[in-house]
Amino acid sequence: MKIGIVGAAGRMGRMLIAAVEAADGAELAGGTEAANHPEMGRDLGELAGLEAAGVVLSADPHALFEAADAIIDFTVPTATAAHAVMAAETGTVLVVGTTGMDDEQQNAVTAAGQKAPVIQAANFSVGVNLLLGLVEKAASVLPDTYDIEVLDMHHHHKVDAPSGTALALGEAAAAGRDVALDDVACKARDGIIGARPKGEIGFATLRGGDVVGDHTVMYAGPGERVEITHKASSREVFAGGAVRAAIWGCSQKPGLYSMKDVLGF
Ligand code: NAD
């Protein structure tokens, strides 16, 4: 199975190269970057700190979509929307890890699911996907006297906030309460904002250092507080999950799938 990595010189891209090289039955089809990237032409194996792979970094995603069985995309929203159009044209499996997309960019990914198997997740770790189920369950069991707050901390390079995973956890909590997240979410607080509205799902964002990704969902009730936490200490958990999703996608019909589908949760 030939897997291509778009954004191959990024933090996740380099981990994904190594994860494809380590996976049974998978081979590296190639990797792309934005046209002006300084590593253009570099061997992908060397880029990931491994032995030379004999495939170099290119700026031609169209050729990669033609050559690969599956493409893994952890890039930026504008690039992911363009890649989604290519997946729809070629029918190539697309694994989307990019977060922070606006409605138009998300629509391009959703539309690609009509023509190709598309697996999209804000977080490809097994642990966070387990957490999503636990958070929904806790929100359905605890009454709305338990205030729900979602906290994320990430490294100082991260550009979107709250994190895609924090928003997915908020969606899971909202689903547990049978409400729409958009109707109850408070994504930032500043100044004299008044008392906390009942039923609100609040978000708090911390950024700093080299933190790979910490998430906590709190249920702060009368006399007690329940906290469910996940801490990622290596990007390998996301890369391994994304490669697993790519391999799984190759035996699926067109559709928009989640990591829960891949894991059979
Ligand atoms: P990064 O900035 O290190 O990497 C992104 C790469 O995409 C960069 O190398 C950039 O040059 C490249 N890029 C930009 N435009 C491109 C284009 N047109 N074609 C090809 N490549 C292009 O960021 P990162 O930390 O690797 O994260 C990337 C994305 O993945 C972010 O949205 C992040 O939130 C998300 N992420 C998701 C998960 C998950 O499990 N879903 C886990 C970690 C990160």
Side-chain angles (χ1 to χ4, degrees):
M1 186 169 306
K2 287 182 277 174
I3 301 180
I5 314 291
V6 289
R11 277 179 291 271
M12 278 304 302
R14 292 171 200 241
M15 298 298 305
L16 287 160
I17 293 169
V20 170
E21 290 285 67
D24 283 341
E27 93 182 72
L28 207 51
T32 68
E33 258 298 341
N36 55 354
H37 198 281
E39 302 280 12
M40 199 55 68
R42 180 110 186 262
D43 183 277
L44 294 184
E46 290 175 1
L47 205 52
L50 308 170
E51 285 178 18
V55 202
V56 298
L57 191 64
S58 96
D60 186 354
H62 288 97
L64 190 57
F65 272 84
E66 291 289 351
D69 299 306
I71 297 286
I72 305 180
D73 183 338
F74 284 62
T75 59
V76 293
T78 47
T80 299
H83 293 142
V85 174
M86 295 176 211
E89 283 165 7
T90 56
T92 311
V93 174
L94 180 64
V95 175
V96 177
T98 309
T99 58
M101 278 183 282
D102 65 22
D103 288 348
E104 201 177 321
Q105 291 154 344
Q106 179 57 48
N107 286 344
V109 172
T110 304
Q114 290 170 7
K115 304 280 185 191
V118 176
I119 303 104
Q120 182 178 23
N123 195 305
F124 277 93
S125 86
V126 176
V128 160
N129 283 281
L130 175 65
L131 205 70
L132 289 168
L134 296 174
V135 163
E136 181 171 345
K137 179 75 180 170
S140 72
V141 170
L142 296 169
D144 64 4
T145 48
Y146 286 69
D147 297 325
I148 301 180
E149 294 283 308
V150 184
L151 177 79
D152 86 89
M153 176 151 190
H154 283 85
H155 55 89
H156 56 217
H157 298 291
K158 187 163 179 63
V159 294
D160 53 317
S163 74
T165 301
L167 293 170
L169 290 166
E171 293 279 4
R177 281 197 169 164
D178 211 11
V179 294
L181 181 62
D182 283 347
D183 294 341
V184 295
C186 175
K187 294 185 182 161
R189 299 185 178 109
D190 184 27
I192 311 296
I193 55 165
R196 188 187 199 282
K198 196 170 183 187
E200 184 171 85
I201 295 180
F203 291 84
T205 302
L206 307 182
R207 294 287 177 263
D210 57 0
V211 178
V212 172
D214 292 356
H215 293 90
T216 294
V217 180
M218 280 181 202
Y219 305 80
E224 65 174 355
R225 190 162 83 234
V226 178
E227 298 186 4
I228 305 177
T229 294
H230 177 272
K231 295 185 179 184
S233 47
S234 166
R235 290 184 175 82
E236 278 174 37
V237 292
F238 312 130
V243 172
R244 183 169 168 176
I247 293 169
W248 179 87
C250 288
S251 57
Q252 305 303 315
K253 297 194 177 84
L256 183 62
Y257 301 98
S258 72
M259 193 57 187
K260 281 189 182 172
D261 297 317
V262 176
L263 295 170
F265 283 178

